[in-house]
Amino acid sequence: MVKENICNCIDCSEGWNGFKVLTGEEVELLEQHRYEADFRPGEMILKQSSPASNAVFLRSGMAKIYLEGQGQKNLIISIAKPGMMIMGPGVYTDLRHSFSVSSINGVKACYISADIIKKMFSTNKLFAEGVIKEMSRMSHFYLDRLLSMTQKKMPGRVAEVLLYLADKVFCSDEFTPLLNRQELADMAGMAKESIVRILRDFSDEGIICSDCPDIKIIQKDKLKMISDNG
Amino acid sequence: MVKENICNCIDCSEGWNGFKVLTGEEVELLEQHRYEADFRPGEMILKQSSPASNAVFLRSGMAKIYLEGQGQKNLIISIAKPGMMIMGPGVYTDLRHSFSVSSINGVKACYISADIIKKMFSTNKLFAEGVIKEMSRMSHFYLDRLLSMTQKKMPGRVAEVLLYLADKVFCSDEFTPLLNRQELADMAGMAKESIVRILRDFSDEGIICSDCPDIKIIQKDKLKMISDNG
DNA sequence: TATCTTTGTTGATAAATATCAATGCAGGAT
DNA sequence: ATCCTGCATTGATATTTATCAACAAAGATA
């Protein structure tokens, strides 16, 4: 198997779009502060509350981004894929990572120094615009989740999670979540027994086909309705 | 009574700190795109989903920032005071306001064109840094709330709201919330009957003194414990 | 003052959700 | 094969929370 020889972030086929606007010099600077790392499934990539010295970019594989609450109760915020920037708001506030990130399957990732990103934020206005757009998108997403989590009942939240996985993560109505029931529950903010029951209900009503671990969305419109109406 | 003659955002005693780094030219530009407005209690200042053409800065009074869910159920995210920037992530994403803002008491506010802010974001790197720091702070705050709302039970959320009001809004352990019970419930994400009962419980246990509408925090350490332990 | 209207409060009840305990099932190790 | 071990599932039950209905209290209006 021939390995692609990645030598910089602009040419990297899985690189973040925001890097496309960098100058040659900036790319070189970036290279000097980029570290590659491989992870097996289930390994910690970023730890919540640890010093936010790096942003992370996946080159392959998927990772879960989650908040650690008290008593090992987690809330999975989103699933990261190659091409996305993973940089929490802590980089510009308390210099701590705002969330934890860990690999779901095998992951190749690049750590890039947060200081360098901040530096380029100041020297390259197009790059700065890309960064603020990305952070705004995240903020927007958090607000959406905040509303869902507080106002929707369990079936609505499960429907939302399924639609998120289908539309934003796997880009297909038929997928293998990679997450186990406990993790799906952590995404929807409920107990694992609850999500099991709701998935069964959806199955019984013919809205999805749940051939564990695979999930196939049959009646997407119905799922959307459940998600919208809470 | 002599009215202060405000002629620009740098000299304004209630202006946002982030404006302090602007050049003379930029301040002038800002002035050309600034509109003052007065509001009586309970009036809409920004409407969720409407075009995000302006950011808002309060010169006096307070406002509630909230998400409108379906079926007139609101979630109050935070309380805005003079000196704070009110600009949602929609300005950099879908160009719609991400939340609604309405006055709690009498409010004087300045609308500032979002385009001008974006322009200065590109031309003044210190200003850009101020904006991203502010947006990061907000993002951080949203993540905190997300975790609280999903993992804490009602008493924990009520304690959190009380501490927020005391520490971040009124800067005193004795205050008049200005929000009625329904609105306090909308902050803590519960029914108004529920918050009434919990406030009474806190009163009975001597943690607070609730002489409606005034609230006085007696045992702050206990309240913090309740908030932390969910 | 008398009458509305809104807001706060309480108790009873229903609905939503979590927890607990038991069981089954599949993959990996011995 | 046989034994583990972790995950999924199910039913029973307890806890949490919302809803409903009634009423009290405080302002607002006439």
Side-chain angles (χ1 to χ4, degrees):
Chain A
M1 185 178 168
V2 182
K3 273 210 170 178
E4 193 184 358
N5 186 15
I6 304 283
C7 52
N8 70 57
C9 295
I10 284 197
D11 298 334
C12 174
S13 59
E14 299 299 354
W16 181 48
N17 267 332
F19 287 138
K20 297 273 189 282
V21 301
L22 296 184
T23 65
E25 271 177 30
E26 286 166 337
V27 172
E28 220 167 285
L29 186 66
L30 203 62
E31 281 315 293
Q32 288 161 20
H33 296 271
R34 181 170 71 83
Y35 306 92
E36 292 185 18
D38 286 5
F39 298 90
R40 278 165 299 177
E43 289 188 307
M44 185 74 71
I45 299 174
L46 289 185
K47 175 69 180 174
Q48 182 171 320
S49 301
S50 72
S53 34
N54 291 281
V56 165
F57 299 81
L58 303 191
R59 285 180 49 203
S60 71
M62 289 183 175
K64 56 178 181 179
I65 299 179
Y66 60 103
L67 298 175
E68 302 187 41
Q70 63 261 78
Q72 4 295 5
K73 264 189 83 179
N74 297 331
L75 176 72
I76 298 182
I77 304 170
S78 59
I79 305 298
K81 292 197 299 180
M84 293 169 50
M85 173 165 75
I86 305 176
M87 185 172 89
V91 166
Y92 277 99
T93 55
D94 61 356
L95 303 180
R96 307 269 150 193
H97 285 300
S98 315
F99 40 61
S100 288
V101 179
S102 68
S103 54
I104 294 175
N105 43 20
V107 159
K108 287 183 184 302
C110 294
Y111 287 96
I112 291 181
S113 157
D115 287 338
I116 297 302
I117 290 186
K118 282 188 195 176
K119 187 170 187 173
M120 297 187 316
F121 180 87
S122 292
T123 54
N124 184 327
K125 59 181 70 164
L126 280 177
F127 180 75
E129 212 167 293
V131 170
I132 197 149
K133 275 192 180 166
E134 183 55 31
M135 295 202 63
S136 294
R137 253 191 296 277
M138 290 314 299
S139 237
H140 202 287
F141 181 73
Y142 300 156
L143 286 176
D144 277 354
R145 300 253 3 221
L146 198 46
L147 195 64
S148 300
M149 298 301 275
T150 51
Q151 302 205 343
K152 288 183 185 174
K153 297 204 198 19
M154 293 201 299
R157 304 207 298 275
V158 173
E160 184 174 83
V161 165
L162 293 179
L163 290 170
Y164 169 75
L165 291 176
D167 294 341
K168 301 292 160 61
V169 180
F170 298 105
C171 305
S172 160
D173 287 355
E174 194 171 356
F175 54 87
T176 308
L178 301 184
L179 306 171
N180 62 27
R181 301 296 150 143
Q182 180 60 61
E183 291 172 311
L184 286 177
D186 287 344
M187 279 202 86
M190 63 188 62
K192 65 177 184 303
E193 293 93 336
S194 294
I195 205 170
V196 165
R197 283 183 241 268
I198 290 167
L199 286 177
R200 177 168 47 75
D201 290 348
F202 285 178
S203 262
D204 289 351
E205 295 169 54
I207 297 170
I208 64 170
C209 177
S210 173
D211 181 15
C212 190
D214 297 354
I215 290 179
K216 184 177 180 180
I217 298 178
I218 314 269
Q219 295 178 267
K220 201 163 188 178
D221 48 340
K222 216 161 182 175
L223 209 54
K224 276 199 180 104
M225 237 185 53
I226 295 174
S227 171
D228 290 342
N229 298 335
Chain B
M1 183 179 169
V2 182
K3 272 211 172 178
E4 193 186 357
N5 187 15
I6 304 282
C7 52
N8 70 58
C9 295
I10 283 196
D11 298 333
C12 174
S13 59
E14 299 299 355
W16 181 48
N17 266 333
F19 287 138
K20 297 272 189 282
V21 302
L22 296 183
T23 65
E25 271 177 30
E26 286 166 337
V27 173
E28 219 168 283
L29 186 65
L30 203 62
E31 281 315 294
Q32 289 162 19
H33 297 271
R34 182 170 70 84
Y35 307 91
E36 290 185 21
D38 286 4
F39 299 89
R40 280 165 300 178
E43 288 187 310
M44 186 72 73
I45 299 174
L46 289 184
K47 175 69 179 174
Q48 181 172 321
S49 300
S50 72
S53 36
N54 290 281
V56 165
F57 300 81
L58 302 192
R59 284 180 49 201
S60 72
M62 288 182 176
K64 57 178 180 179
I65 299 180
Y66 60 103
L67 298 175
E68 302 187 42
Q70 62 261 79
Q72 6 293 5
K73 264 188 83 178
N74 297 332
L75 176 71
I76 298 183
I77 304 170
S78 60
I79 304 299
K81 293 196 299 181
M84 292 168 51
M85 173 165 78
I86 304 176
M87 184 173 88
V91 166
Y92 277 99
T93 56
D94 60 356
L95 303 180
R96 307 270 150 191
H97 286 299
S98 315
F99 40 62
S100 288
V101 179
S102 70
S103 53
I104 294 175
N105 43 21
V107 159
K108 287 183 184 303
C110 294
Y111 287 96
I112 292 182
S113 157
D115 287 338
I116 296 302
I117 289 187
K118 282 189 195 176
K119 187 169 187 175
M120 296 187 316
F121 180 88
S122 291
T123 55
N124 185 326
K125 58 182 71 165
L126 280 177
F127 181 75
E129 212 167 295
V131 169
I132 196 147
K133 275 191 181 168
E134 183 57 31
M135 295 202 65
S136 294
R137 252 191 297 276
M138 292 314 299
S139 236
H140 203 289
F141 182 73
Y142 300 156
L143 285 176
D144 276 354
R145 300 246 13 214
L146 198 46
L147 195 64
S148 300
M149 299 301 274
T150 50
Q151 303 206 342
K152 288 184 187 174
K153 298 203 200 14
M154 292 199 299
R157 303 206 299 273
V158 173
E160 182 173 85
V161 165
L162 292 179
L163 291 170
Y164 169 74
L165 291 175
D167 294 341
K168 300 292 161 61
V169 181
F170 298 105
C171 305
S172 161
D173 287 355
E174 194 171 357
F175 54 88
T176 308
L178 301 183
L179 305 171
N180 62 27
R181 302 293 148 144
Q182 180 60 62
E183 290 172 311
L184 287 176
D186 287 344
M187 279 202 85
M190 63 187 62
K192 65 175 184 305
E193 293 94 334
S194 294
I195 206 169
V196 165
R197 284 183 242 266
I198 290 167
L199 287 176
R200 176 167 48 75
D201 291 346
F202 285 177
S203 264
D204 290 350
E205 296 170 53
I207 297 171
I208 65 170
C209 177
S210 173
D211 182 16
C212 191
D214 297 353
I215 290 178
K216 184 178 180 180
I217 297 177
I218 315 269
Q219 296 179 265
K220 201 164 189 177
D221 47 341
K222 215 160 181 174
L223 208 55
K224 276 199 180 104
M225 236 184 53
I226 295 173
S227 171
D228 289 342
N229 298 335

